[in-house]
Amino acid sequence: MTTQKLDTSVRAIHVWLARSVKSLGNHSDRLNAINVFPVADGDTGSNLYLTARAGHDAVSKLDSDDIGAFLEIAARAALESARGNSGTLLAVFLSGLSEPLKGKERLTAPLLALALERAKVRSWSALSEPVEGTMLSVINAMALAAASTLAHLKVDLESRAALDTLLSQMTQAARLAVQGTENELPSLLKAGVVDAGAVGMMILIDELCAAVRNEHADFENYESFRGYQVQDPHVHLEFEDAQGIEVMCTVTLDALGAATLRGQLDSIGDSVIMSPVNQLSEDTYRWRVHVHVPDSEAALELIRKQGEPVNISVTDLCVHDN
C-alpha cells in the first residue's frame, strides 16, 4: 500500500461513519451474545449500532470541509440518542475526538494523536466509576500508542507516512487491549469472552483506518477473540437475569448542578455516566445522563430537582433473548 492513497479529508470521516453503522449492524448479534458486563442484558451490539446510526443520520447529507465541526454534529446527535452504557460511551468518544479537529480540513498524525487523547479524557471522566477491561481500555491503549508513536517517528509528522504509521500502531494496541479484557473482569473470565463494548470500539477503529486508507475493513481476525466465533453460544443467557432499571435523559445544568446530580445518582445507583452535549452559556451545558437504579422514579425525582429532563428513556434491565 502506498501512503498516497490516504484520504485525510472530511470525505473519509463521512465514509467512516457510514461503514461503522453497517459493520456494527452486521456484528450486533455477536456483540449481544458476549455482553455480560456491566449487566448481562445482551444489547451492547444493538445499542452501539443504534447510537452510531443516529450520529451518521445527522450528517448523512451535510456538506462541510471542517472535520471537527462535521464530527461534532454527528457526536451531538449520537449523544442525544445514545443507547445504554456502550452507546453513551461511543458518543462521548466521538465528541471528544471532534474537539481538537475543529477548523481542520486535513487529518494528520499529530491531530489524530491529540484527538485520541482528548477522547480518552472525555470518556474516562464521563463515568463516576471507570472500569478497566472495557471500551475504556481500548480507548486508553490507542491514545497511549498514538502518543508514543508520534514521539518516535523519524519522518515528517505532517506527512501521510506518519499518519499511516500511527494508524497501524494504534490498531495493534487496540487489538491487544481487546484480547486482554477477558482477564480483567471476573464476569468476562467466567464467561470466557472478551468485552463486547471493547470489540465494538475495535470495529469502529478498523473502519476508521480503512476509510482513511481507501480500503475495506477486514474482520476475519476477530475470530481469534474468545467467544466471538459464529458458532459460539449467547453466553449472556447463561447469567442470572439482570436486575434494575436503566434511566437516560438530557438535562440542562450548570457546573454545580451537574456535580450535585452526579453525586446523588451515585448514592442510589451505579453505571453513572454524565457528559456535556453542548454548551449553552459560560457555565451551562446540556448534559446526557445515564444511570442504573432499582427505582426509575427515584432517579427522575433527583434529576427534576436540578433541571427539567427531556429525551427520557426508561428500560428494564432484563435479559434480552437474542
Side-chain angles (χ1 to χ4, degrees):
M1 185 200 74
T2 171
T3 55
Q4 294 304 310
K5 288 175 57 181
L6 267 61
D7 185 350
T8 59
S9 67
V10 172
R11 177 189 172 280
I13 304 302
H14 199 296
V15 170
W16 168 42
L17 295 177
R19 290 182 180 176
S20 292
V21 172
K22 181 177 180 180
S23 291
L24 287 170
N26 289 340
H27 285 255
S28 62
D29 182 70
R30 271 293 90 202
L31 294 172
N32 289 341
I34 62 172
N35 170 206
V36 298
F37 182 87
V39 290
D41 53 352
D43 62 359
T44 286
S46 302
N47 288 339
L48 287 170
Y49 164 71
L50 291 170
T51 302
R53 190 178 71 180
H56 171 258
D57 287 351
V59 293
S60 61
K61 296 182 180 180
L62 179 63
D63 185 17
S64 173
D65 293 326
D66 187 327
I67 294 176
F70 181 88
L71 194 53
E72 180 186 32
I73 293 172
R76 187 181 300 174
L79 258 177
E80 290 278 17
S81 301
R83 305 289 188 97
N85 286 61
S86 55
T88 304
L89 278 178
L90 169 63
V92 173
F93 173 80
L94 293 177
S95 182
L97 203 68
S98 73
E99 291 177 7
L101 301 177
K102 290 177 184 177
K104 308 300 181 182
E105 296 183 3
R106 187 171 73 90
L107 187 66
T108 64
L111 278 175
L112 181 55
L114 188 61
L116 287 169
E117 178 62 25
R118 182 57 183 157
K120 180 190 80 172
V121 172
R122 282 286 307 275
S123 299
W124 280 77
S125 62
L127 285 107
S128 292
E129 297 182 1
V131 178
E132 292 275 7
T134 62
M135 295 171 72
L136 294 177
S137 295
V138 180
I139 296 170
N140 188 54
M142 289 191 298
L144 290 174
S148 177
T149 300
L150 204 63
H152 294 91
L153 278 174
K154 304 299 183 184
V155 299
D156 179 5
L157 297 184
E158 300 293 324
S159 68
R160 293 174 182 269
L163 178 60
D164 190 52
T165 301
L166 191 145
L167 290 173
S168 296
Q169 293 302 311
M170 65 179 246
T171 304
Q172 182 178 352
R175 185 161 284 106
L176 290 173
V178 172
Q179 292 171 336
T181 59
E182 66 176 282
N183 297 313
E184 294 189 70
L185 292 170
S187 57
L188 300 181
L189 192 60
K190 175 185 176 181
V193 297
V194 293
D195 181 66
V199 180
M201 181 57 63
M202 186 79 246
I203 291 170
L204 198 74
I205 295 310
D206 276 339
E207 285 292 7
L208 173 61
C209 293
V212 173
R213 286 169 167 162
N214 278 300
E215 298 176 343
H216 289 282
D218 181 4
F219 299 109
E220 287 188 8
N221 58 12
Y222 280 42
E223 291 206 355
S224 67
F225 296 150
R226 287 202 57 189
Y228 208 71
Q229 295 188 25
V230 174
Q231 64 268 31
D232 288 333
H234 281 246
V235 297
H236 79 278
L237 296 174
E238 300 171 11
F239 281 63
E240 293 183 6
D241 284 0
Q243 301 295 316
I245 307 292
E246 177 184 73
V247 176
M248 299 188 67
C249 68
T250 304
V251 61
T252 299
L253 302 169
D254 59 16
L256 178 59
T260 300
L261 179 59
R262 182 189 287 274
Q264 292 174 336
L265 292 178
D266 283 336
S267 69
I268 67 167
D270 54 30
S271 295
V272 176
I273 307 176
M274 288 185 59
S275 182
V277 178
N278 62 298
Q279 188 171 8
L280 300 179
S281 65
E282 183 177 354
D283 190 40
T284 304
Y285 292 79
R286 283 170 58 81
W287 292 81
R288 191 62 178 167
V289 179
H290 171 282
V291 62
H292 291 172
V293 289
D295 177 11
S296 60
E297 281 306 313
L300 289 170
E301 182 179 349
L302 289 176
I303 295 168
R304 290 190 177 106
K305 287 181 179 179
Q306 301 299 329
E308 187 58 39
V310 297
N311 296 342
I312 299 172
S313 171
V314 177
T315 306
D316 191 6
L317 290 173
C318 62
V319 170
H320 300 280
D321 189 1
N322 290 293

